[in-house]
Amino acid sequence: MTGTSHTWPHAPVRVGLVGAGPWARAVHARVLAAGPETQLTSVWARRPEAARETAAPYGADVAATFEELLDGCEAVAFAVPPAVQAELASVAAKAGKALLMEKPIALDLPSAQRLVDAVDTAGVVSQLVLTNRYHPATRQFLKAAQGLDVVGARSCCLSSAFLGGDFATPWRLEHGALLDLGPHLLDLLDAALGPIVRVRGAGDLRRWIELTCEHANGAISQASLSGSVDVERGITRIELFGRHPELVFDSTALDHEESWPVLRREFATAVRTGQSGGLDARRGLYLQTLMAQALES
């Protein structure tokens, strides 16, 4: 479901898309073209033929260069590896473009800091594609969690992506589950239990990694991450424990199509009002800082 029954009182935000891989085709291009809040204006990718295949179903232009894409849009969506995103998003920010970015925002903390510095200096709107955060069921879970005195939590984010297929990409296979899946789980744990002040990690980034998170309120959470296990569907599960009945979030059966209209409208609203929401580049930098702690432990 990529449409919305709500009217949109503004002109659609003209968005250029960087990237033409499976995720760009399956999500970014399709969702941005659906409107009414956004319009997919053009696509630019390293492979021109892939860019044409991504743009064609929606009547979008194919930009010959990244600079040409910037000239024809007011916002840029990125569906490229983290190192490429960090570099090009900084350029787009300096050009005054709003940014819709994937997680992680960069491959390492210094690159993430430079990107956020560019965003802050330019004063542009930014937003992260943290899929679960835009789903109504996730928001209900987080709202319920706010009233609880949580002592501890168990969680996992597991997939078979690294075993083969479209998402067994070089950067994922090299850097593993922490960078790929970590932002999703750390973001949810932080939102549910309160600010994470310390993260320790153990295990093999390419096989299975365990994180122990210490929260500012004294709660402790555990997170298991792997992209190398044979599961039919990706599993994201969080269990909260305390002096209350167990509260569970499980995304396995969720229809993520419900996330996309929410994401699209919130991004377009941020662009039109000039005000980023809480899931912005600074949130990405915070998550990158937590992952860096885990790598150093």
Side-chain angles (χ1 to χ4, degrees):
M1 180 179 67
T2 55
T4 175
S5 60
H6 302 291
T7 59
W8 176 247
H10 310 287
V13 176
R14 295 176 292 109
V15 186
L17 173 60
V18 176
W23 190 246
R25 295 193 302 271
V27 174
H28 282 271
R30 177 174 63 90
V31 171
L32 293 170
E37 303 93 345
T38 56
Q39 174 190 358
L40 180 64
T41 60
S42 59
V43 178
W44 177 77
R46 178 175 53 85
R47 296 175 295 119
E49 182 57 36
R52 283 191 288 272
E53 291 176 358
T54 303
Y58 313 106
D61 295 331
V62 176
T65 64
F66 179 57
E67 291 71 24
E68 181 180 313
L69 179 124
L70 294 179
D71 288 341
C73 67
E74 55 188 312
V76 184
F78 294 88
V80 291
V84 178
Q85 174 175 263
E87 177 183 355
L88 295 182
S90 295
V91 175
K94 292 173 184 176
K97 308 302 178 182
L99 310 176
L100 183 62
M101 297 184 291
E102 282 293 337
K103 52 74 209 167
I105 61 172
L107 268 186
D108 53 54
L109 187 54
S111 299
Q113 184 66 64
R114 288 192 294 270
L115 170 55
V116 171
D117 288 345
V119 170
D120 287 348
T121 299
V124 297
V125 162
S126 60
Q127 186 165 313
L128 303 182
V129 181
L130 289 166
T131 308
N132 281 315
R133 279 290 222 120
Y134 301 98
H135 197 286
T138 309
R139 295 186 170 187
Q140 291 170 8
F141 164 74
L142 293 177
K143 183 177 180 180
Q146 298 311 305
L148 301 180
D149 181 15
V150 179
V151 174
R154 299 184 305 193
S155 66
C156 67
C157 193
L158 309 173
S159 85
S160 59
F162 301 169
L163 300 181
D166 288 339
F167 297 104
T169 55
W171 78 265
R172 288 184 174 92
L173 295 179
E174 179 180 356
H175 296 281
L178 180 61
L179 281 181
D180 185 27
L181 304 177
H184 288 299
L185 208 49
L186 288 169
D187 170 67
L188 289 173
L189 289 170
D190 182 89
L193 280 76
I196 298 171
V197 295
R198 185 185 179 196
V199 180
R200 288 167 288 160
D204 185 332
L205 295 174
R206 298 174 184 83
R207 289 169 55 82
W208 188 287
I209 183 168
E210 290 287 334
L211 303 180
T212 300
C213 305
E214 300 176 16
H215 297 258
N217 58 10
I220 301 294
S221 60
Q222 296 286 148
S224 302
L225 303 169
S226 180
S228 302
V229 292
D230 186 2
V231 291
E232 184 176 351
R233 297 186 62 179
I235 300 170
T236 299
R237 182 177 174 87
I238 299 174
E239 303 169 333
L240 305 184
F241 300 94
R243 294 183 178 179
H244 53 79
E246 176 188 13
L247 180 65
V248 177
F249 170 77
D250 192 333
S251 73
T252 308
L254 295 184
D255 181 1
H256 289 299
E257 288 299 306
E258 295 184 46
S259 298
W260 307 132
V262 180
L263 180 151
R264 183 177 59 232
R265 177 163 285 247
E266 292 187 358
F267 179 60
T269 299
V271 174
R272 287 288 172 254
T273 61
Q275 297 292 324
S276 298
L279 300 178
D280 61 358
R282 285 216 156 266
R283 182 66 172 177
L285 178 61
Y286 172 69
L287 297 175
Q288 199 95 35
T289 301
L290 297 179
M291 292 185 291
Q293 284 186 13
L295 286 172
E296 292 168 359
S297 61

